[in-house]
Amino acid sequence: MPSRSILHPTDFSRASRAAFEKALAMAKAGHSRLEIVHVLAPVVALPAEGYVSPQTYEALTSSATAWAQKQMDRLLKAARARGVRARGTIVEGAAHDRIVRAARSLRPEIIVMGTHGRTGLPRLLLGSVAARVIASAPCPVLTVRGR
């Protein structure tokens, strides 16, 4: 029998913290592994900045990756301290696409993710990663509103 798992995508925000707590509780209760994924947005230079050297681009990318790894390590430590088996992955790309890809690959029972609860113009302009994941995920998605 394959091991049961819960996928928790995180951007390390307040909304994600609430979802992490829910995913942790569900993983502990169901004796499931917690799969945590963070998607790094590709570094894009703004046209007003002009030329960005490869060294500057690399420095920005490695700084973002190091910060994300530090945050991921913190979540993994918290999960393990509560007796939950956990594994973390950091990938780069469009958040909704990489989350759905992770779900197809890991085949979790459920995705537990935070939502910022934006409505109106902010949602129209920023989009909703949660809405896009719900629309194309291969499994149920539980959204948890940030406090």
Side-chain angles (χ1 to χ4, degrees):
M1 179 169 111
S3 96
R4 296 158 32 129
S5 68
I6 293 171
L7 177 60
H8 170 60
T10 182
D11 62 2
F12 308 117
S13 66
R14 175 179 278 160
S16 285
R17 278 195 297 276
F20 173 70
E21 289 301 323
K22 182 67 174 174
L24 204 52
M26 290 172 70
K28 187 165 178 71
H31 305 290
S32 301
R33 180 188 3 250
L34 184 58
E35 300 282 356
I36 305 170
V37 66
H38 173 71
V39 182
L40 285 171
V43 176
V44 177
L46 298 174
E49 294 175 0
Y51 174 76
V52 176
S53 72
Q55 295 83 0
T56 301
Y57 178 83
E58 184 61 39
L60 289 169
T61 301
S62 61
S63 174
T65 303
W67 177 85
Q69 188 61 59
K70 185 176 179 182
Q71 300 305 309
M72 180 66 75
D73 291 344
R74 186 179 51 79
L75 293 182
L76 292 170
K77 183 178 176 183
R80 292 174 183 142
R82 306 236 313 252
V84 172
R85 291 175 302 138
R87 186 168 55 180
T89 307
I90 297 172
V91 295
E92 187 176 316
H96 68 281
D97 177 59
R98 295 308 303 245
I99 293 165
V100 170
R101 278 200 213 175
R104 287 190 181 122
S105 169
L106 298 168
R107 299 171 60 187
E109 294 177 282
I110 190 168
I111 299 170
V112 180
M113 65 187 300
T115 180
H116 295 276
R118 293 184 187 103
T119 58
L121 190 58
R123 180 171 176 177
L124 183 66
L125 294 174
L126 298 172
S128 170
V129 173
R132 291 177 181 162
V133 170
I134 290 166
S136 52
C139 61
V141 179
L142 173 64
T143 59
V144 178
R145 192 152 201 192
R147 295 187 174 91

